[in-house]
Amino acid sequence: MAARTARERVRAELIREITDIARRQLGTEGAAGLSLRAVAREMGMVSSAIYRYFPSRDDLLTALIIDGYNAVGEAVEQADAGTPADDFAGRWLAVCRAVREWALAHPHEYALLYGSPVPGYKAPDATVSAAARDTVVFARIVSAAHAAGAIDPAGPLPPPPPSIAEDLARVRAAVDLAAPDDVVVRALTAWAGLYGTVSFELFGQFANTVEDDRAAYFDHTMTLLGRLVGLKS
């Protein structure tokens, strides 16, 4: 048993080293240029040895993607837990800030998760639960606000088209969002707006437009999106 535990520790350490090197490769080569052979060379391993841990490049990409989604999810969960439960607008802003801060600190991993698809790679089902961690927190905030009667959208809004009713039902089921269709579609719009705003900043789309105080712009935009949902403090 002790020998097996030691082997497990060695294996875990090697996997950690492989993924750390692979993350650095993301910054220099991009996800499409990720190479198991290059990782093995940097580690001083023969290329065949690394396949014991990751049988293919896609397996390594999957591990990086799961790690990335879990990191975003953990940051969002911690931000939500650090905000008073009945401050729904404050919780929304806190989790939005957590996404932005993580993205700015890990731009290449963010690009892997939310940037252009990697040619030839299809994410397996194993990534789904990790990918949903942050969205589940957003849904929890909206569900709690709805249950508390703390959702009041600013002004009359058009109802969602009947043709997307099944889509909204899938969203509701996927993240356990306990709210009616009009709230779900507003929450989905705010969620897309969050990641769109982060991506615009990270990928340089705000050059020559939003330059002076992007953090203040971000907070203001997320507050507007929170009001679109109807979140009240």
Side-chain angles (χ1 to χ4, degrees):
M1 177 65 73
R4 185 166 65 246
T5 301
R7 286 197 298 270
E8 289 171 352
R9 288 200 300 268
V10 170
R11 180 178 179 84
E13 178 60 25
L14 283 170
I15 288 174
R16 184 198 61 77
E17 187 176 354
I18 291 167
T19 53
D20 284 348
I21 293 171
R23 288 187 190 95
R24 292 200 295 270
Q25 271 198 24
L26 291 178
T28 57
E29 307 297 331
L34 187 64
S35 165
L36 284 172
R37 290 180 180 275
V39 172
R41 280 198 303 272
E42 185 166 341
M43 293 183 67
M45 298 171 64
V46 295
S47 58
S48 58
I50 203 168
Y51 293 109
R52 301 173 192 167
Y53 305 96
F54 294 100
S56 71
R57 181 210 66 163
D58 284 4
D59 292 303
L60 180 54
L61 275 174
T62 295
L64 296 176
I65 289 168
I66 290 173
D67 285 351
Y69 278 133
N70 278 326
V72 176
E74 182 177 357
V76 166
E77 290 163 0
Q78 290 179 353
D80 187 41
T83 309
D86 59 352
D87 182 5
F88 304 111
R91 289 170 65 185
W92 162 254
L93 182 56
V95 299
C96 290
R97 285 172 172 167
V99 171
R100 177 178 181 265
E101 289 166 4
W102 187 88
L104 293 177
H106 306 88
H108 305 298
E109 290 172 71
Y110 180 91
L112 175 63
L113 302 181
Y114 302 107
S116 300
V118 180
Y121 174 79
K122 182 178 180 181
D125 291 344
T127 62
V128 172
S129 61
R133 278 182 68 172
D134 61 338
T135 314
V136 167
V137 177
F138 302 140
R140 186 183 305 143
I141 295 168
V142 175
S143 297
H146 176 67
I151 286 188
D152 182 20
L157 298 172
S163 59
I164 67 168
E166 290 187 11
D167 293 324
L168 299 180
R170 277 191 291 271
V171 171
R172 187 183 291 105
V175 294
D176 196 22
L177 177 47
D181 278 0
D182 63 315
V183 175
V184 175
V185 76
R186 294 198 305 271
L188 183 60
T189 301
W191 176 76
L194 161 63
Y195 282 96
T197 303
V198 171
S199 294
F200 257 53
E201 179 176 4
L202 203 64
F203 301 144
Q205 300 304 314
F206 283 142
N208 302 316
T209 52
V210 181
E211 293 281 4
D212 294 334
D213 193 342
R214 289 179 177 170
Y217 170 81
F218 178 84
D219 281 4
H220 183 66
T221 301
M222 294 307 108
T223 299
L224 293 177
L225 289 172
R227 290 183 180 176
L228 170 66
V229 179
L231 297 174
K232 299 187 296 182
S233 298

